[in-house]
Amino acid sequence: MTLDVAMEDGLKCVKIQQREEDEDEENNESSILIPGLPNHLAHLCLSNLHPSLLYGICKSWRRLIYTTSFPHFYCLYVVCSRSRAYNNSTNTASTSSRTSSIIKQYTDREQNSIEFFCFDPISSKWSKLPNPPSSDPPIRILRHHPSFISRSLSIQSLTVAERMVLIAATTHKFLPAIERPLGFNPLCNEWFFGPPLAAPRRWCGSSSVNGNVYVASGMGSTYHSDVARSLEKWDVNQKAHEKWKWEKLAGLKDGKFSREFVDAIGYRGKLCMVNNKGHAAKESAVYDIAKDEWKEMPEGMLGGWNGPAAASSSTTTTINDESHDEMYVVDEIKGSLSKYVPEIDQWEEVIESCDDLKGAEQISVGGGRVCAICDDGRLIVVVDVAAKPANVIGVVSTPPEMEAIALHILPRINADKLPQSRRF
C-alpha cells in the first residue's frame, strides 16, 4: 500500500469517527431539557407549563410533551367519510342507462370509505390513525347510498374509559355492519374488539356511564320486538378481555326507539335518550342505572333538547365525581349553546347565539371544551366552556375531501407508540 493510499484511508476513518462523535454530541445536547439542571428536576419544572408553550421552543421540549411521563393533553379523534361533493364529482359523467353499474361501483367504493383521524391542538396537525384490524366477517360500513341521495346512514360511536368505540352502522344491503364493537385506545395506539353482540343492530341508542357501555333498542337484519326493547351493558374496565361480555338489563316498555338513530347520553348515573333532534316532537326515556329501571325524562330537560347534545365524563375532568359532569346542547337553528341545570330542571344559555354553531350536527364534551361538527361535516367549532363567559376559541377544517361524522375528545397518543417516521 502506498503512502498516499494509507493517508487517504486514514483521513476517511478520522472523518467518519468525527461525524459519529458530532452526532452523539448533538443527540446528547438535544436530550438535555434545561442546561445545568438534571433532567428529572427540569421535567418537574416543565410539567407545570402548558404544552403549547413548550412545543415551539426546542426539539427536546417538543419530544417531552408526547412522552408517557408528561401530563396528557386532549386531542380530537374524528370518524370521517368521503365527502358527498367528492363522491358526486366522480359520477358526473354517468347516465341513467348505467344505473345498476353506478350503484355497484359507488357501494364498492363506499364500503371502505370510513377513515379515522386525530387532530393535535398543539401542533395544529391532522394525522391518520392506523388501519383497524381485519375481522371475520370483514367490517363494511356505508355512509351514503345512491338510492337515498339526501340521507346519510348513521354510524354510531361513543367515548368510554378514554377510548373510542364504534357500536353500530349499516352495510350497503341495509344490514347491521358491526357484529362486535370496534375500539381504539390512544394510550397504546392500538385497536381492539369488544365482546360480540347477541343481536348486531343499527339505529340504536348507545352511550357510556362509569366505564360501562350501554346499548338500547335498535333493529337487526329485521325487526324483533325483543331487540327493540332490549338494554345491554358491557363493562370495559374489566382487566381480562376474555371476560368481556354483554349483560342484559331492564328492557324498555316498547320498541319506539328502534325506528331511527337515537340520541343517547350518559349523565350523572343515568342514560338519557330522545329519538329526534331539533325542535320536532320527541319520544324520550331515562334509565336509572342504580335502580335498574326506566322512567320519564324531566319536562325541562326534554323541552330544551333542541339539537345535538353531549355530556362531559368524569374521566375527562380533574375531579372524578359524577356531580361535576355537565350536559350541553346546541340549538342548531339559533346557534346557541346551553347547559342543563338539574337542580331547577332548566337549560341555561352559555352562548346566546353564534353563527359558527348554526346547523351543528354532533357535539362532544371534554377537557373544558365543547366541540361541534358543523357545515356539513367540513368544520369543527371549538368552544371553551371553562372560560367565563364561554367563547369560541377556534374553527378547524376537517382533512381534505373528508366530512366528519363523529368526534371524540381523548388523550393524545404517546410518542413511543408512534411509528419512527412520525416521532418528533
Side-chain angles (χ1 to χ4, degrees), residues 219-407:
M219 180 183 289
S221 55
T222 58
Y223 175 84
H224 290 283
S225 60
D226 289 345
V227 175
R229 297 177 60 250
S230 67
L231 174 66
E232 298 182 55
K233 180 184 78 171
W234 160 34
D235 185 357
V236 180
N237 285 323
Q238 282 189 322
K239 300 298 183 183
H241 292 184
E242 62 271 12
K243 293 183 180 180
W244 277 353
K245 63 180 181 179
W246 290 97
E247 176 187 347
K248 290 187 178 297
L249 302 172
L252 292 150
K253 63 181 181 181
D254 54 44
K256 62 188 176 185
F257 290 99
S258 65
R259 293 172 287 212
E260 57 189 326
F261 167 80
V262 177
D263 215 358
I265 295 175
Y267 174 66
R268 300 194 180 187
K270 296 178 176 61
L271 182 67
C272 308
M273 301 200 321
V274 298
N275 66 344
N276 206 342
K277 292 181 181 178
H279 293 262
K282 306 174 186 66
E283 300 283 356
S284 65
V286 173
Y287 173 73
D288 189 314
I289 292 172
K291 297 179 180 179
D292 188 27
E293 65 180 22
W294 291 92
K295 57 185 180 181
E296 295 296 321
M297 179 174 287
E299 184 178 346
M301 178 187 287
L302 178 60
W305 199 316
N306 46 28
S312 62
S313 167
S314 55
T315 60
T316 59
T317 60
T318 56
I319 303 174
N320 190 16
D321 185 350
E322 283 183 2
S323 65
H324 290 82
D325 293 350
E326 302 290 358
M327 180 159 59
Y328 294 87
V329 66
V330 173
D331 187 315
E332 51 199 4
I333 296 176
K334 291 174 53 183
S336 62
L337 176 67
S338 300
K339 180 177 71 172
Y340 181 65
V341 183
E343 293 79 9
I344 57 175
D345 188 27
Q346 290 182 6
W347 294 87
E348 175 187 90
E349 279 193 351
V350 293
I351 292 183
E352 184 175 351
S353 181
C354 175
D355 289 340
D356 291 329
L357 291 173
K358 290 181 179 178
E361 300 170 18
Q362 194 251 349
I363 68 172
S364 183
V365 183
R369 306 286 189 267
V370 172
C371 301
I373 296 175
C374 301
D375 193 25
D376 294 324
R378 292 186 289 266
L379 297 176
I380 297 173
V381 179
V382 182
V383 181
D384 184 352
V385 291
K388 303 296 181 185
N391 62 94
V392 174
I393 59 172
V395 178
V396 180
S397 297
T398 52
E401 298 177 350
M402 290 287 172
E403 63 179 29
I405 302 168
L407 55 87

Side-chain angles (χ1 to χ4, degrees), residues 86-114:
Y86 170 83
N87 286 321
N88 291 338
S89 67
T90 61
N91 288 326
T92 53
S94 302
T95 62
S96 58
S97 62
R98 298 166 57 202
T99 300
S100 60
S101 175
I102 295 168
I103 291 177
K104 183 180 186 304
Q105 293 174 8
Y106 189 98
T107 53
D108 285 347
R109 182 175 67 248
E110 278 284 293
Q111 282 181 8
N112 297 306
S113 66
I114 303 304

Side-chain angles (χ1 to χ4, degrees), residues 157-194:
S157 60
L158 55 87
T159 299
V160 58
E162 297 194 329
R163 299 167 222 185
M164 173 178 66
V165 177
L166 267 69
I167 287 290
T170 304
T171 70
H172 71 290
K173 294 183 178 180
F174 299 103
L175 299 174
I178 299 176
E179 294 195 355
R180 51 181 177 159
L182 172 64
F184 180 77
N185 186 345
L187 296 181
C188 57
N189 195 28
E190 290 180 352
W191 291 92
F192 63 92
F193 286 105

Side-chain angles (χ1 to χ4, degrees), residues 55-91:
Y55 182 82
I57 302 300
C58 61
K59 289 183 178 180
S60 62
W61 289 12
R62 183 179 302 177
R63 281 196 295 265
L64 172 67
I65 66 177
Y66 292 97
T67 60
T68 56
S69 56
F70 193 85
H72 291 155
F73 59 86
Y74 286 89
C75 297
L76 280 178
Y77 293 78
V78 183
V79 184
C80 292
S81 72
R82 290 287 176 185
S83 68
R84 278 169 284 196
Y86 170 83
N87 286 321
N88 291 338
S89 67
T90 61
N91 288 326

